[in-house]
Amino acid sequence: MNAERTPWEPETAGLLALPSGRAVRGRGLRRPLPEGQQPEFGLYLLGHEPPSVPWESRWLRWRDFRLPGDRDAARAAFGELLERAGDERVEVACGGGYGRTGTALACLAVLDGVPNAEAVAWVRAHYSSRAVETPWQRRYVARFPGA
């Protein structure tokens, strides 16, 4: 880890510790920015371009209650997020912080070694019981190509 960088504080709201020990913060953009540390990189899952933020970010077009508009781009974005989580404070967020964010976190869990069939339940147990809101989001996770 870069000497100037510090990991997420363990009590950070919305923090999901993956099996590998990498941590990703999930949140809803319609709520105020949480107190404390800011991310160094954010992946934003919205149907429209997100507002600018003072840290590096990437936008993935993804309409509410739907699936990513470009699944190859989603796979690449999730891979980048997981890689960056190794030594940066990263977050993933959508409007509410549950459906699209939960789906992305479940896909990160698959990339990190959680079996597809267990990923939704795992994210619901470790992030939010409301994560992954629709049947098609659950199917997307079940079919998501792992590492």
Side-chain angles (χ1 to χ4, degrees):
M1 180 179 286
N2 184 321
E4 296 178 21
R5 293 192 170 155
T6 57
W8 285 114
E9 297 288 336
E11 66 278 357
T12 298
L15 194 63
L16 175 69
L18 293 164
S20 65
R22 295 172 187 209
V24 179
R25 178 172 77 180
R27 71 179 180 100
L29 295 171
R30 290 191 297 263
R31 292 190 296 273
L33 183 66
E35 298 277 330
Q37 296 171 299
Q38 292 186 345
E40 295 168 298
F41 177 77
L43 175 62
Y44 301 107
L45 316 171
L46 297 168
H48 55 83
E49 191 168 352
S52 65
V53 291
W55 49 83
E56 189 179 352
S57 65
R58 182 172 176 180
W59 168 43
L60 181 65
R61 185 181 301 275
W62 189 337
R63 291 177 36 213
D64 203 6
F65 298 106
R66 305 292 175 118
L67 296 175
D70 181 334
R71 294 181 190 195
D72 290 336
R75 174 67 168 80
F78 300 156
E80 178 185 6
L81 193 66
L82 183 64
E83 182 178 326
R84 293 179 83 142
D87 66 355
E88 295 178 57
R89 289 187 309 275
V90 300
E91 74 173 3
V92 61
C94 64
Y98 300 107
R100 293 167 285 182
T101 296
T103 302
L105 290 172
C107 291
L108 288 174
V110 169
L111 291 174
D112 204 51
V114 175
N116 292 66
E118 299 171 18
V120 171
W122 190 88
V123 168
R124 287 178 175 171
H126 294 91
Y127 171 68
S128 170
S129 61
R130 296 175 55 193
V132 192
E133 295 176 312
T134 68
W136 41 93
Q137 289 171 342
R138 287 192 298 275
R139 274 194 306 273
Y140 178 75
V141 173
R143 297 174 181 162
F144 187 76

